[in-house]
Amino acid sequence: MELDSLYQEVILDHYRNPHHKGLSGEFDVQVKHNNPSCGDEVTLNLSISNGVIKGISWDGVGCSISMASVSMMSDLVIDQQYSRAVEILNQFTSLMQSKGQSKGDEELLEDAVAFAGVSKFPARIKCALLGWMAFKDASSQAME
Ligand code: ZN
């Protein structure tokens, strides 16, 4: 898989130094998601208060794309209103469905636009989406 080298660097940085990794004992909802085709696994703890994403902590094993993606997702949605977090989530999902045609909205996605190139590789899209799907699941449960 060839990604733009700058983007590859951003992804590897998060993989080597993941943000918000290590499960916190304080959470409202815990979910576990996995991606059997690659062997990626993530457990995600989420807390929401008054419609704001107060905290995400996670642990997991998997490829650099899956782990870097959870790390960046956590950075992006913590302290956001739930509605804004969903907007970011939807933007990332549509970027992953773009088959390499979209560069992504950098204002919403910030460093996560680094994953744009991944959308050309169908086998890796689930890796990139794993943490986001875990967040989608946990946050919709928490908002119920
Ligand atoms: Zn993977």
Side-chain angles (χ1 to χ4, degrees):
M1 186 169 73
E2 285 179 37
L3 294 175
D4 180 288
S5 61
L6 176 70
Y7 280 179
Q8 206 158 9
E9 214 33 61
V10 173
I11 291 171
L12 286 175
D13 270 356
H14 275 265
Y15 178 59
R16 294 189 189 113
N17 300 299
H19 301 179
H20 310 288
K21 191 176 180 189
L23 292 172
S24 159
E26 277 177 45
F27 60 89
D28 299 314
V29 176
Q30 179 175 76
V31 296
K32 291 179 193 207
H33 279 229
N34 62 60
N35 171 26
S37 60
C38 181
D40 310 317
E41 298 175 1
V42 65
T43 301
L44 187 142
N45 287 355
L46 172 82
S47 53
I48 289 189
S49 170
N50 295 323
V52 175
I53 313 301
K54 291 315 263 182
I56 289 182
S57 63
W58 60 277
D59 204 358
V61 289
C63 67
S64 56
I65 290 175
S66 65
M67 296 295 106
S69 188
V70 192
S71 173
M72 280 190 228
M73 180 278 294
S74 305
D75 278 349
L76 285 168
V77 303
I78 289 172
D79 290 334
Q80 300 282 3
Q81 291 283 340
Y82 174 65
S83 56
R84 174 77 172 177
V86 168
E87 203 181 324
I88 296 168
L89 163 73
N90 289 340
Q91 182 65 226
F92 188 80
T93 307
S94 67
L95 177 62
M96 285 302 103
Q97 291 163 344
S98 74
K99 301 186 168 73
Q101 298 304 302
S102 171
K103 291 190 183 338
D105 180 346
E106 201 163 353
E107 205 165 310
L108 271 181
L109 295 178
E110 300 177 16
D111 280 356
V113 296
F115 291 95
V118 173
S119 69
K120 285 182 280 189
F121 303 90
R124 309 313 300 276
I125 293 171
K126 281 187 182 162
C127 301
L129 282 175
L130 177 69
W132 296 80
M133 292 302 105
F135 170 70
K136 184 179 189 179
D137 182 12
S139 61
S140 63
Q141 286 185 43
M143 291 301 288
E144 268 172 15

